[in-house]
Amino acid sequence: MERRIDLSNLDLDRAAVMVAARRGGWRELGLVADEVSWMDNDVSWPAPLLRDRGQARRPKSLGVRVRGDAGEAEFVLYAGGWADVVVIHPGIDEPTAEYIELDDVEEFGPVLDRAVGLLA
């Protein structure tokens, strides 16, 4: 599978707004969402995860973890146009992992909703 490297494919700032807009609903479901983390494309590897968006001059990815009693979901959205999603349920040995190509950042909202819905 070929991954795109053009950082202009998806607007990660818009994706962060989408995460923020869902936090209240997640909280009502008894879920906790960690702070959004950012990775800057223009730093040497291994790139640190940043909590302050202002420190990521050229964001490569955005990550967030949502957890509750039924498990956790981890999302990493890459500006290149894809997301990695992992859902872990207690008592199940193998996590569910998905690679999803996105043509538009608005497609990230349904990805969040579907995976987090498995935790509710």
Side-chain angles (χ1 to χ4, degrees):
M1 98 185 59
E2 181 180 331
R3 293 194 176 190
R4 304 174 229 171
I5 58 171
D6 180 359
L7 296 182
S8 65
N9 287 333
L10 298 180
D11 179 351
L12 297 182
D13 290 312
R14 172 68 186 125
V17 169
M18 296 166 76
V19 169
R22 286 166 168 77
R23 283 184 183 277
W26 294 341
R27 196 170 21 255
E28 289 176 9
L29 294 172
L31 303 173
V32 175
D34 292 349
E35 288 182 59
V36 168
S37 61
W38 302 87
M39 187 179 293
D40 192 330
N41 190 66
D42 293 339
V43 298
S44 60
W45 190 258
L49 293 179
L50 306 168
R51 296 290 180 202
D52 181 354
R53 166 60 180 92
Q55 292 179 326
R57 294 182 188 171
R58 190 168 171 238
K60 175 181 184 173
S61 67
L62 165 151
V64 67
R65 181 175 67 151
V66 180
R67 54 193 156 68
D69 292 339
E72 67 182 61
E74 296 179 1
F75 304 89
V76 180
L77 178 65
Y78 293 88
W82 73 92
D84 291 327
V85 180
V86 176
V87 178
I88 303 167
H89 292 285
I92 298 177
D93 292 336
E94 293 293 320
T96 303
E98 280 187 271
Y99 162 80
I100 304 163
E101 290 195 358
L102 306 170
D103 292 318
D104 186 279
V105 73
E106 296 302 322
E107 296 173 10
F108 186 55
V111 170
L112 288 168
D113 296 341
R114 181 177 49 80
V116 171
L118 298 172
L119 306 178

Short mmCIF file of all heavy atoms in Angstrom, two decimals, residues 33-102:
data_model
loop_
_atom_site.label_atom_id
_atom_site.label_comp_id
_atom_site.label_asym_id
_atom_site.label_seq_id
_atom_site.Cartn_x
_atom_site.Cartn_y
_atom_site.Cartn_z
N ALA A 33 -10.60 11.72 26.72
CA ALA A 33 -9.73 11.94 25.56
C ALA A 33 -8.48 12.66 26.02
O ALA A 33 -8.55 13.68 26.70
CB ALA A 33 -10.45 12.76 24.50
N ASP A 34 -7.33 12.11 25.68
CA ASP A 34 -6.06 12.76 25.98
C ASP A 34 -5.93 14.03 25.14
O ASP A 34 -6.67 14.23 24.17
CB ASP A 34 -4.90 11.83 25.66
CG ASP A 34 -4.83 10.63 26.60
OD1 ASP A 34 -5.54 10.62 27.62
OD2 ASP A 34 -4.06 9.70 26.29
N GLU A 35 -4.97 14.84 25.52
CA GLU A 35 -4.67 16.02 24.71
C GLU A 35 -4.22 15.58 23.32
O GLU A 35 -3.61 14.53 23.17
CB GLU A 35 -3.53 16.83 25.33
CG GLU A 35 -3.88 17.56 26.59
CD GLU A 35 -2.69 18.36 27.07
OE1 GLU A 35 -2.20 19.22 26.32
OE2 GLU A 35 -2.26 18.11 28.19
N VAL A 36 -4.50 16.41 22.34
CA VAL A 36 -4.03 16.16 20.99
C VAL A 36 -2.51 16.29 20.98
O VAL A 36 -1.95 17.18 21.62
CB VAL A 36 -4.67 17.15 19.99
CG1 VAL A 36 -4.00 17.10 18.64
CG2 VAL A 36 -6.17 16.87 19.86
N SER A 37 -1.85 15.40 20.28
CA SER A 37 -0.40 15.50 20.11
C SER A 37 -0.10 15.78 18.64
O SER A 37 -0.87 15.41 17.75
CB SER A 37 0.30 14.21 20.57
OG SER A 37 -0.14 13.11 19.81
N TRP A 38 1.01 16.43 18.43
CA TRP A 38 1.43 16.84 17.08
C TRP A 38 2.84 16.33 16.82
O TRP A 38 3.65 16.25 17.75
CB TRP A 38 1.44 18.36 16.97
CG TRP A 38 0.13 19.00 17.26
CD1 TRP A 38 -0.35 19.37 18.49
CD2 TRP A 38 -0.88 19.33 16.33
NE1 TRP A 38 -1.60 19.91 18.36
CE2 TRP A 38 -1.95 19.91 17.04
CE3 TRP A 38 -0.99 19.20 14.94
CZ2 TRP A 38 -3.11 20.35 16.43
CZ3 TRP A 38 -2.15 19.65 14.32
CH2 TRP A 38 -3.19 20.21 15.05
N MET A 39 3.13 16.04 15.58
CA MET A 39 4.48 15.72 15.17
C MET A 39 4.87 16.68 14.05
O MET A 39 4.11 16.86 13.10
CB MET A 39 4.61 14.27 14.69
CG MET A 39 6.06 13.87 14.43
SD MET A 39 6.23 12.16 13.90
CE MET A 39 5.73 11.29 15.36
N ASP A 40 6.02 17.29 14.21
CA ASP A 40 6.51 18.25 13.22
C ASP A 40 7.32 17.50 12.17
O ASP A 40 8.16 16.66 12.50
CB ASP A 40 7.38 19.30 13.91
CG ASP A 40 7.71 20.48 13.02
OD1 ASP A 40 7.78 20.32 11.79
OD2 ASP A 40 7.90 21.58 13.57
N ASN A 41 7.09 17.81 10.91
CA ASN A 41 7.80 17.15 9.82
C ASN A 41 9.25 17.58 9.71
O ASN A 41 10.08 16.85 9.19
CB ASN A 41 7.08 17.42 8.50
CG ASN A 41 7.61 16.56 7.39
OD1 ASN A 41 7.46 15.35 7.42
ND2 ASN A 41 8.27 17.18 6.41
N ASP A 42 9.57 18.77 10.19
CA ASP A 42 10.89 19.35 9.94
C ASP A 42 11.87 19.16 11.10
O ASP A 42 12.79 19.95 11.26
CB ASP A 42 10.75 20.84 9.62
CG ASP A 42 10.04 21.06 8.30
OD1 ASP A 42 10.02 20.13 7.46
OD2 ASP A 42 9.49 22.15 8.10
N VAL A 43 11.69 18.13 11.90
CA VAL A 43 12.65 17.83 12.96
C VAL A 43 13.27 16.46 12.69
O VAL A 43 12.69 15.63 11.97
CB VAL A 43 12.00 17.86 14.36
CG1 VAL A 43 11.47 19.23 14.68
CG2 VAL A 43 10.92 16.83 14.50
N SER A 44 14.43 16.22 13.25
CA SER A 44 15.10 14.94 13.00
C SER A 44 14.40 13.81 13.74
O SER A 44 13.73 14.02 14.75
CB SER A 44 16.57 15.04 13.41
OG SER A 44 16.68 15.35 14.77
N TRP A 45 14.58 12.62 13.22
CA TRP A 45 13.96 11.42 13.77
C TRP A 45 14.80 10.91 14.93
O TRP A 45 16.02 10.97 14.84
CB TRP A 45 13.83 10.36 12.68
CG TRP A 45 13.00 9.21 13.13
CD1 TRP A 45 13.45 8.00 13.54
CD2 TRP A 45 11.58 9.18 13.25
NE1 TRP A 45 12.39 7.22 13.90
CE2 TRP A 45 11.23 7.92 13.74
CE3 TRP A 45 10.57 10.10 13.02
CZ2 TRP A 45 9.93 7.54 13.98
CZ3 TRP A 45 9.28 9.72 13.26
CH2 TRP A 45 8.96 8.46 13.73
N PRO A 46 14.25 10.44 15.99
CA PRO A 46 12.81 10.30 16.20
C PRO A 46 12.20 11.63 16.61
O PRO A 46 12.70 12.32 17.50
CB PRO A 46 12.70 9.28 17.33
CG PRO A 46 13.99 9.41 18.08
CD PRO A 46 15.03 9.84 17.08
N ALA A 47 11.14 11.98 15.93
CA ALA A 47 10.46 13.25 16.19
C ALA A 47 9.68 13.16 17.49
O ALA A 47 8.95 12.20 17.71
CB ALA A 47 9.53 13.58 15.03
N PRO A 48 9.81 14.16 18.36
CA PRO A 48 9.05 14.13 19.60
C PRO A 48 7.57 14.43 19.37
O PRO A 48 7.21 15.12 18.40
CB PRO A 48 9.69 15.25 20.43
CG PRO A 48 10.21 16.20 19.40
CD PRO A 48 10.63 15.36 18.23
N LEU A 49 6.72 13.90 20.24
CA LEU A 49 5.31 14.26 20.21
C LEU A 49 5.15 15.57 20.97
O LEU A 49 5.65 15.70 22.09
CB LEU A 49 4.46 13.18 20.85
CG LEU A 49 4.41 11.85 20.10
CD1 LEU A 49 3.54 10.86 20.85
CD2 LEU A 49 3.90 12.04 18.68
N LEU A 50 4.48 16.51 20.37
CA LEU A 50 4.31 17.85 20.93
C LEU A 50 2.88 18.05 21.38
O LEU A 50 1.95 17.64 20.69
CB LEU A 50 4.68 18.90 19.88
CG LEU A 50 6.06 18.74 19.24
CD1 LEU A 50 6.20 19.64 18.02
CD2 LEU A 50 7.15 19.02 20.26
N ARG A 51 2.68 18.68 22.51
CA ARG A 51 1.32 19.00 22.99
C ARG A 51 0.89 20.39 22.55
O ARG A 51 -0.29 20.68 22.51
CB ARG A 51 1.27 18.91 24.51
CG ARG A 51 1.54 17.53 25.04
CD ARG A 51 0.40 16.59 24.71
NE ARG A 51 0.71 15.27 25.25
CZ ARG A 51 0.16 14.17 24.81
NH1 ARG A 51 -0.70 14.23 23.83
NH2 ARG A 51 0.47 13.02 25.33
N ASP A 52 1.84 21.23 22.24
CA ASP A 52 1.56 22.60 21.84
C ASP A 52 1.59 22.71 20.32
O ASP A 52 2.65 22.54 19.70
CB ASP A 52 2.60 23.53 22.47
CG ASP A 52 2.41 24.99 22.14
OD1 ASP A 52 1.51 25.32 21.33
OD2 ASP A 52 3.16 25.81 22.69
N ARG A 53 0.45 23.01 19.72
CA ARG A 53 0.38 23.11 18.26
C ARG A 53 1.38 24.13 17.73
O ARG A 53 1.95 23.97 16.65
CB ARG A 53 -1.06 23.48 17.85
CG ARG A 53 -1.23 23.95 16.41
CD ARG A 53 -0.81 22.90 15.41
NE ARG A 53 -0.98 23.36 14.05
CZ ARG A 53 -0.05 23.97 13.33
NH1 ARG A 53 1.15 24.21 13.83
NH2 ARG A 53 -0.29 24.33 12.09
N GLY A 54 1.64 25.19 18.47
CA GLY A 54 2.55 26.23 18.04
C GLY A 54 3.99 25.75 17.86
O GLY A 54 4.77 26.37 17.15
N GLN A 55 4.33 24.63 18.48
CA GLN A 55 5.68 24.08 18.34
C GLN A 55 5.84 23.24 17.07
O GLN A 55 6.95 22.94 16.67
CB GLN A 55 6.04 23.23 19.55
CG GLN A 55 6.19 24.03 20.81
CD GLN A 55 6.53 23.14 21.99
OE1 GLN A 55 6.07 21.98 22.08
NE2 GLN A 55 7.33 23.66 22.90
N ALA A 56 4.74 22.85 16.46
CA ALA A 56 4.78 22.07 15.23
C ALA A 56 4.66 23.03 14.05
O ALA A 56 3.56 23.38 13.63
CB ALA A 56 3.66 21.04 15.20
N ARG A 57 5.80 23.48 13.56
CA ARG A 57 5.79 24.49 12.49
C ARG A 57 5.20 23.94 11.19
O ARG A 57 4.52 24.65 10.47
CB ARG A 57 7.20 24.99 12.24
CG ARG A 57 7.75 25.73 13.42
CD ARG A 57 9.11 26.26 13.15
NE ARG A 57 9.65 26.81 14.38
CZ ARG A 57 10.88 27.20 14.52
NH1 ARG A 57 11.71 27.11 13.50
NH2 ARG A 57 11.30 27.67 15.67
N ARG A 58 5.50 22.70 10.90
CA ARG A 58 4.99 22.05 9.68
C ARG A 58 4.45 20.68 10.11
O ARG A 58 5.14 19.68 10.01
CB ARG A 58 6.11 21.92 8.67
CG ARG A 58 5.66 21.49 7.31
CD ARG A 58 6.80 21.68 6.30
NE ARG A 58 6.42 21.06 5.06
CZ ARG A 58 7.10 20.10 4.45
NH1 ARG A 58 8.25 19.68 4.95
NH2 ARG A 58 6.67 19.57 3.33
N PRO A 59 3.20 20.66 10.60
CA PRO A 59 2.67 19.41 11.17
C PRO A 59 2.62 18.26 10.17
O PRO A 59 2.15 18.41 9.04
CB PRO A 59 1.26 19.79 11.61
CG PRO A 59 1.22 21.26 11.66
CD PRO A 59 2.23 21.74 10.67
N LYS A 60 3.12 17.15 10.63
CA LYS A 60 3.09 15.92 9.84
C LYS A 60 1.91 15.06 10.26
O LYS A 60 1.31 14.38 9.44
CB LYS A 60 4.40 15.18 10.06
CG LYS A 60 4.48 13.83 9.42
CD LYS A 60 5.80 13.18 9.75
CE LYS A 60 5.98 11.86 9.04
NZ LYS A 60 7.32 11.32 9.24
N SER A 61 1.60 15.09 11.59
CA SER A 61 0.51 14.25 12.07
C SER A 61 -0.10 14.85 13.33
O SER A 61 0.51 15.68 14.00
CB SER A 61 0.99 12.83 12.36
OG SER A 61 1.88 12.82 13.46
N LEU A 62 -1.30 14.38 13.60
CA LEU A 62 -2.07 14.71 14.79
C LEU A 62 -2.48 13.39 15.41
O LEU A 62 -2.90 12.48 14.69
CB LEU A 62 -3.29 15.52 14.37
CG LEU A 62 -4.43 15.72 15.35
CD1 LEU A 62 -5.11 17.04 15.05
CD2 LEU A 62 -5.43 14.60 15.28
N GLY A 63 -2.37 13.27 16.72
CA GLY A 63 -2.77 12.04 17.38
C GLY A 63 -3.65 12.32 18.58
O GLY A 63 -3.55 13.37 19.20
N VAL A 64 -4.53 11.37 18.88
CA VAL A 64 -5.37 11.48 20.07
C VAL A 64 -5.75 10.07 20.51
O VAL A 64 -5.91 9.17 19.69
CB VAL A 64 -6.62 12.35 19.84
CG1 VAL A 64 -7.57 11.71 18.85
CG2 VAL A 64 -7.31 12.70 21.14
N ARG A 65 -5.85 9.89 21.83
CA ARG A 65 -6.29 8.62 22.40
C ARG A 65 -7.55 8.88 23.21
O ARG A 65 -7.61 9.81 24.00
CB ARG A 65 -5.21 8.03 23.29
CG ARG A 65 -5.61 6.69 23.90
CD ARG A 65 -4.48 6.08 24.67
NE ARG A 65 -4.20 6.89 25.84
CZ ARG A 65 -3.71 6.40 26.98
NH1 ARG A 65 -3.43 5.13 27.10
NH2 ARG A 65 -3.50 7.20 28.00
N VAL A 66 -8.55 8.01 23.02
CA VAL A 66 -9.81 8.09 23.75
C VAL A 66 -9.96 6.76 24.48
O VAL A 66 -9.81 5.70 23.89
CB VAL A 66 -11.01 8.32 22.79
CG1 VAL A 66 -12.31 8.40 23.56
CG2 VAL A 66 -10.78 9.56 21.94
N ARG A 67 -10.26 6.84 25.80
CA ARG A 67 -10.33 5.61 26.57
C ARG A 67 -11.50 5.62 27.54
O ARG A 67 -11.98 6.68 27.93
CB ARG A 67 -9.03 5.37 27.31
CG ARG A 67 -8.57 6.49 28.17
CD ARG A 67 -7.11 6.29 28.61
NE ARG A 67 -6.46 7.52 28.94
CZ ARG A 67 -6.73 8.30 29.96
NH1 ARG A 67 -7.67 7.96 30.79
NH2 ARG A 67 -6.08 9.41 30.18
N GLY A 68 -11.93 4.42 27.86
CA GLY A 68 -13.01 4.23 28.82
C GLY A 68 -12.98 2.80 29.32
O GLY A 68 -12.06 2.04 29.02
N ASP A 69 -14.00 2.40 30.07
CA ASP A 69 -14.04 1.06 30.64
C ASP A 69 -14.06 -0.04 29.58
O ASP A 69 -13.57 -1.14 29.81
CB ASP A 69 -15.27 0.90 31.55
CG ASP A 69 -15.18 1.77 32.79
OD1 ASP A 69 -14.05 2.17 33.16
OD2 ASP A 69 -16.23 2.06 33.39
N ALA A 70 -14.63 0.26 28.40
CA ALA A 70 -14.75 -0.75 27.36
C ALA A 70 -13.51 -0.85 26.46
O ALA A 70 -13.47 -1.64 25.53
CB ALA A 70 -15.97 -0.47 26.50
N GLY A 71 -12.49 -0.02 26.74
CA GLY A 71 -11.27 -0.09 25.94
C GLY A 71 -10.77 1.29 25.57
O GLY A 71 -11.13 2.29 26.18
N GLU A 72 -9.94 1.31 24.55
CA GLU A 72 -9.40 2.59 24.08
C GLU A 72 -9.23 2.57 22.57
O GLU A 72 -9.10 1.51 21.95
CB GLU A 72 -8.08 2.92 24.76
CG GLU A 72 -6.94 2.02 24.41
CD GLU A 72 -5.67 2.39 25.16
OE1 GLU A 72 -5.68 2.36 26.41
OE2 GLU A 72 -4.66 2.72 24.49
N ALA A 73 -9.26 3.76 22.01
CA ALA A 73 -9.05 3.95 20.58
C ALA A 73 -7.95 4.99 20.42
O ALA A 73 -7.96 6.02 21.09
CB ALA A 73 -10.33 4.42 19.89
N GLU A 74 -7.00 4.69 19.57
CA GLU A 74 -5.91 5.61 19.28
C GLU A 74 -5.97 5.97 17.81
O GLU A 74 -6.10 5.09 16.95
CB GLU A 74 -4.57 4.97 19.63
CG GLU A 74 -4.42 4.68 21.09
CD GLU A 74 -3.09 4.03 21.44
OE1 GLU A 74 -2.27 3.82 20.53
OE2 GLU A 74 -2.89 3.74 22.63
N PHE A 75 -5.85 7.26 17.55
CA PHE A 75 -5.92 7.78 16.19
C PHE A 75 -4.66 8.56 15.88
O PHE A 75 -4.22 9.38 16.70
CB PHE A 75 -7.09 8.76 16.04
CG PHE A 75 -8.42 8.19 16.43
CD1 PHE A 75 -8.86 8.26 17.74
CD2 PHE A 75 -9.23 7.58 15.49
CE1 PHE A 75 -10.09 7.74 18.12
CE2 PHE A 75 -10.46 7.05 15.84
CZ PHE A 75 -10.89 7.13 17.16
N VAL A 76 -4.09 8.34 14.72
CA VAL A 76 -3.04 9.21 14.21
C VAL A 76 -3.46 9.58 12.79
O VAL A 76 -3.63 8.71 11.93
CB VAL A 76 -1.66 8.52 14.20
CG1 VAL A 76 -0.60 9.49 13.65
CG2 VAL A 76 -1.28 8.05 15.59
N LEU A 77 -3.66 10.87 12.58
CA LEU A 77 -4.04 11.39 11.27
C LEU A 77 -2.83 12.07 10.66
O LEU A 77 -2.22 12.94 11.28
CB LEU A 77 -5.20 12.39 11.41
CG LEU A 77 -5.66 13.04 10.11
CD1 LEU A 77 -6.26 12.00 9.16
CD2 LEU A 77 -6.67 14.15 10.42
N TYR A 78 -2.48 11.66 9.46
CA TYR A 78 -1.32 12.20 8.77
C TYR A 78 -1.76 13.20 7.71
O TYR A 78 -2.72 12.94 6.97
CB TYR A 78 -0.52 11.07 8.12
CG TYR A 78 0.11 10.16 9.13
CD1 TYR A 78 -0.58 9.07 9.64
CD2 TYR A 78 1.40 10.40 9.60
CE1 TYR A 78 -0.01 8.24 10.60
CE2 TYR A 78 1.98 9.57 10.56
CZ TYR A 78 1.27 8.49 11.04
OH TYR A 78 1.83 7.68 11.98
N ALA A 79 -1.05 14.30 7.64
CA ALA A 79 -1.36 15.34 6.66
C ALA A 79 -1.29 14.81 5.23
O ALA A 79 -1.93 15.35 4.33
CB ALA A 79 -0.41 16.53 6.83
N GLY A 80 -0.54 13.75 5.04
CA GLY A 80 -0.42 13.15 3.72
C GLY A 80 -1.70 12.53 3.19
O GLY A 80 -1.83 12.27 2.00
N GLY A 81 -2.68 12.29 4.07
CA GLY A 81 -3.96 11.79 3.59
C GLY A 81 -4.37 10.42 4.10
O GLY A 81 -5.12 9.72 3.45
N TRP A 82 -3.89 10.03 5.27
CA TRP A 82 -4.31 8.75 5.81
C TRP A 82 -4.38 8.82 7.33
O TRP A 82 -3.84 9.73 7.95
CB TRP A 82 -3.40 7.61 5.37
CG TRP A 82 -2.05 7.58 6.02
CD1 TRP A 82 -1.70 6.89 7.15
CD2 TRP A 82 -0.86 8.25 5.59
NE1 TRP A 82 -0.38 7.10 7.45
CE2 TRP A 82 0.16 7.92 6.50
CE3 TRP A 82 -0.55 9.08 4.53
CZ2 TRP A 82 1.45 8.41 6.38
CZ3 TRP A 82 0.74 9.57 4.40
CH2 TRP A 82 1.72 9.24 5.32
N ALA A 83 -5.05 7.82 7.90
CA ALA A 83 -5.16 7.70 9.35
C ALA A 83 -4.84 6.26 9.74
O ALA A 83 -5.20 5.32 9.02
CB ALA A 83 -6.56 8.07 9.83
N ASP A 84 -4.18 6.12 10.86
CA ASP A 84 -3.99 4.83 11.50
C ASP A 84 -4.88 4.82 12.73
O ASP A 84 -4.85 5.76 13.53
CB ASP A 84 -2.53 4.62 11.92
CG ASP A 84 -1.59 4.47 10.73
OD1 ASP A 84 -2.02 3.92 9.70
OD2 ASP A 84 -0.43 4.90 10.82
N VAL A 85 -5.69 3.78 12.87
CA VAL A 85 -6.63 3.67 13.98
C VAL A 85 -6.43 2.31 14.64
O VAL A 85 -6.40 1.28 13.97
CB VAL A 85 -8.09 3.80 13.48
CG1 VAL A 85 -9.06 3.68 14.65
CG2 VAL A 85 -8.31 5.09 12.71
N VAL A 86 -6.28 2.34 15.97
CA VAL A 86 -6.15 1.10 16.74
C VAL A 86 -7.20 1.13 17.84
O VAL A 86 -7.32 2.12 18.56
CB VAL A 86 -4.74 0.96 17.34
CG1 VAL A 86 -4.65 -0.29 18.21
CG2 VAL A 86 -3.68 0.94 16.26
N VAL A 87 -7.96 0.04 17.95
CA VAL A 87 -8.95 -0.09 19.03
C VAL A 87 -8.55 -1.31 19.85
O VAL A 87 -8.31 -2.39 19.31
CB VAL A 87 -10.39 -0.26 18.47
CG1 VAL A 87 -11.38 -0.45 19.59
CG2 VAL A 87 -10.77 0.95 17.61
N ILE A 88 -8.49 -1.10 21.17
CA ILE A 88 -8.09 -2.14 22.11
C ILE A 88 -9.21 -2.35 23.11
O ILE A 88 -9.68 -1.38 23.72
CB ILE A 88 -6.79 -1.74 22.85
CG1 ILE A 88 -5.68 -1.45 21.85
CG2 ILE A 88 -6.39 -2.79 23.86
CD1 ILE A 88 -4.48 -0.74 22.45
N HIS A 89 -9.65 -3.59 23.25
CA HIS A 89 -10.68 -3.94 24.24
C HIS A 89 -10.06 -4.81 25.31
O HIS A 89 -9.32 -5.74 25.00
CB HIS A 89 -11.84 -4.69 23.58
CG HIS A 89 -12.64 -3.87 22.64
ND1 HIS A 89 -13.54 -2.92 23.06
CD2 HIS A 89 -12.69 -3.84 21.29
CE1 HIS A 89 -14.10 -2.35 22.02
NE2 HIS A 89 -13.60 -2.88 20.93
N PRO A 90 -10.36 -4.56 26.58
CA PRO A 90 -9.86 -5.43 27.65
C PRO A 90 -10.31 -6.86 27.43
O PRO A 90 -11.43 -7.11 27.00
CB PRO A 90 -10.49 -4.85 28.93
CG PRO A 90 -10.91 -3.47 28.58
CD PRO A 90 -11.21 -3.48 27.10
N GLY A 91 -9.43 -7.78 27.69
CA GLY A 91 -9.79 -9.20 27.57
C GLY A 91 -9.67 -9.75 26.16
O GLY A 91 -9.86 -10.93 25.95
N ILE A 92 -9.37 -8.91 25.19
CA ILE A 92 -9.17 -9.38 23.81
C ILE A 92 -7.69 -9.23 23.50
O ILE A 92 -7.12 -8.15 23.63
CB ILE A 92 -10.04 -8.58 22.81
CG1 ILE A 92 -11.52 -8.80 23.15
CG2 ILE A 92 -9.73 -9.00 21.38
CD1 ILE A 92 -12.47 -8.01 22.27
N ASP A 93 -7.08 -10.32 23.11
CA ASP A 93 -5.63 -10.33 22.93
C ASP A 93 -5.14 -9.43 21.79
O ASP A 93 -4.11 -8.79 21.92
CB ASP A 93 -5.13 -11.76 22.67
CG ASP A 93 -5.30 -12.64 23.89
OD1 ASP A 93 -5.35 -12.09 25.01
OD2 ASP A 93 -5.38 -13.86 23.72
N GLU A 94 -5.84 -9.41 20.70
CA GLU A 94 -5.38 -8.68 19.52
C GLU A 94 -6.13 -7.36 19.35
O GLU A 94 -7.36 -7.35 19.27
CB GLU A 94 -5.58 -9.52 18.26
CG GLU A 94 -4.71 -10.75 18.20
CD GLU A 94 -3.24 -10.42 18.06
OE1 GLU A 94 -2.91 -9.49 17.31
OE2 GLU A 94 -2.43 -11.08 18.73
N PRO A 95 -5.42 -6.25 19.26
CA PRO A 95 -6.09 -4.99 18.95
C PRO A 95 -6.56 -5.00 17.49
O PRO A 95 -6.03 -5.74 16.66
CB PRO A 95 -5.02 -3.93 19.17
CG PRO A 95 -3.73 -4.67 19.03
CD PRO A 95 -3.99 -6.08 19.45
N THR A 96 -7.55 -4.19 17.21
CA THR A 96 -8.01 -4.01 15.83
C THR A 96 -7.29 -2.79 15.28
O THR A 96 -7.35 -1.71 15.87
CB THR A 96 -9.53 -3.76 15.81
OG1 THR A 96 -10.18 -4.86 16.44
CG2 THR A 96 -10.04 -3.61 14.39
N ALA A 97 -6.59 -2.96 14.18
CA ALA A 97 -5.83 -1.87 13.58
C ALA A 97 -6.30 -1.65 12.15
O ALA A 97 -6.57 -2.61 11.42
CB ALA A 97 -4.34 -2.18 13.59
N GLU A 98 -6.44 -0.39 11.79
CA GLU A 98 -6.88 -0.03 10.44
C GLU A 98 -6.00 1.07 9.87
O GLU A 98 -5.57 1.96 10.59
CB GLU A 98 -8.29 0.54 10.46
CG GLU A 98 -9.41 -0.43 10.53
CD GLU A 98 -10.74 0.29 10.37
OE1 GLU A 98 -11.28 0.72 11.40
OE2 GLU A 98 -11.21 0.42 9.22
N TYR A 99 -5.76 0.99 8.58
CA TYR A 99 -5.14 2.06 7.80
C TYR A 99 -6.23 2.57 6.87
O TYR A 99 -6.84 1.78 6.14
CB TYR A 99 -3.95 1.50 7.00
CG TYR A 99 -3.52 2.38 5.85
CD1 TYR A 99 -2.71 3.48 6.08
CD2 TYR A 99 -3.91 2.10 4.54
CE1 TYR A 99 -2.30 4.29 5.02
CE2 TYR A 99 -3.51 2.90 3.49
CZ TYR A 99 -2.71 3.99 3.73
OH TYR A 99 -2.31 4.78 2.70
N ILE A 100 -6.52 3.87 6.94
CA ILE A 100 -7.63 4.43 6.16
C ILE A 100 -7.13 5.61 5.36
O ILE A 100 -6.57 6.56 5.93
CB ILE A 100 -8.77 4.90 7.10
CG1 ILE A 100 -9.23 3.75 7.99
CG2 ILE A 100 -9.92 5.50 6.31
CD1 ILE A 100 -10.03 4.18 9.20
N GLU A 101 -7.29 5.57 4.05
CA GLU A 101 -6.94 6.71 3.21
C GLU A 101 -8.11 7.68 3.16
O GLU A 101 -9.26 7.27 3.02
CB GLU A 101 -6.55 6.25 1.81
CG GLU A 101 -5.23 5.53 1.80
CD GLU A 101 -4.63 5.38 0.41
OE1 GLU A 101 -5.25 5.81 -0.58
OE2 GLU A 101 -3.52 4.83 0.34
N LEU A 102 -7.79 8.95 3.29
CA LEU A 102 -8.80 10.01 3.30
C LEU A 102 -8.50 11.00 2.19
O LEU A 102 -7.35 11.44 2.03
CB LEU A 102 -8.80 10.72 4.65
CG LEU A 102 -8.96 9.82 5.88
CD1 LEU A 102 -8.69 10.62 7.15
CD2 LEU A 102 -10.33 9.22 5.91
#
